Amino acid sequence: MPKLVVYNSMSLDGYFTDAKGDMSWAHKQDPEWQAFVAENARGGGQLLFGRITYDLMASFWPTPLAMQSNPTIAERMNNLRKYVFSTTMDQASWRNTTLFKGDLATEVRKLKQKPGPDIVIMGSGSLVAQLAEAGLIDEYQIVLNPLVVGSGRTLFEGVKRKLPMKLAKSRAFGNGNVVLFYEPVDQLLG
């Protein structure tokens, strides 16, 4: 059964987007970091998005610019199975995407019961908060960026209970990024 994994960048002051919703500060172009990102993208998987992140991803990855600037990641992003949760979308046109309009936790529980590769959430802070609150996330991969953005959105906005974590591993990069791999200590029965 697949694990549900969160992969998100975060500033030193705890924001995953700045006050304008921008995440471009998290994208670094140095060779060591790009090699890690490309290697991470080579693994199998499925992607889970909220509408805002889906719209951003779908507007970039299928483009010639994406294929030219980062062909390995573009190929993976375009070919992986994708799920988007939205109450406002009528259809999802990006290749291999299924649109869900039902209850988020219920649908994710069903996805986690089906055989298949892990499901990864990128961005999509409101989904992360709801699924964390429901005890459905199995691993958090947080990229801590050496930058203070001043204000923005936190990844766990709206979570009403404590979520104890244990550090499973970490990796530091020359650009100052540190990837922290956390696992929840106690899960609700999901």
Side-chain angles (χ1 to χ4, degrees):
M1 299 302 154
K3 290 191 320 184
L4 183 59
V5 178
V6 171
Y7 177 87
N8 263 323
S9 292
M10 188 176 294
S11 66
L12 282 178
D13 50 347
Y15 299 108
F16 84 100
T17 70
D18 69 16
K20 296 178 182 177
D22 182 38
M23 296 173 64
S24 63
W25 48 267
H27 306 290
K28 300 202 167 66
Q29 297 300 320
D30 66 85
E32 180 191 28
W33 181 251
Q34 286 302 108
F36 169 76
V37 170
E39 184 60 32
N40 227 17
R42 279 191 186 94
Q46 306 174 80
L47 302 173
L48 175 62
F49 300 114
R51 184 198 51 83
I52 294 170
T53 303
Y54 173 83
D55 286 346
L56 288 169
M57 298 285 193
S59 71
F60 177 70
W61 290 113
T63 68
L65 176 61
M67 286 303 293
Q68 180 182 12
S69 63
N70 208 325
T72 301
I73 296 174
E75 185 270 331
R76 295 302 298 152
M77 294 295 289
N78 289 315
N79 290 321
L80 288 175
R81 162 77 29 222
K82 293 170 278 296
Y83 305 99
V84 59
F85 279 84
S86 174
T87 58
T88 59
M89 291 175 68
D90 293 321
Q91 65 178 4
S93 58
W94 191 11
R95 184 181 344 153
N96 299 325
T97 301
T98 301
L99 172 63
F100 287 106
K101 291 180 163 280
D103 179 71
L104 174 65
T106 301
E107 296 296 339
V108 168
R109 278 186 190 93
K110 288 178 190 175
L111 288 174
K112 288 181 67 172
Q113 294 303 310
K114 294 179 181 179
D118 290 346
I119 304 164
V120 178
I121 304 170
M122 294 187 292
S124 306
S126 62
L127 293 189
V128 171
Q130 292 173 65
L131 294 169
E133 182 78 23
L136 290 171
I137 298 175
D138 301 298
E139 181 178 298
Y140 298 84
Q141 297 178 11
I142 305 297
V143 180
L144 189 59
N145 284 255
L147 171 75
V148 172
V149 298
S151 63
R153 288 187 54 207
T154 68
L155 192 54
F156 299 99
E157 218 165 81
V159 171
K160 295 175 179 42
R161 66 185 184 95
K162 290 182 181 175
L163 300 171
M165 307 276 173
K166 67 177 179 180
L167 182 64
K169 63 182 177 178
S170 64
R171 179 173 173 193
F173 292 85
N175 64 17
N177 283 359
V178 178
V179 182
L180 304 164
F181 297 81
Y182 287 103
E183 296 171 353
V185 172
D186 67 335
Q187 289 276 31
L188 295 176
L189 295 176

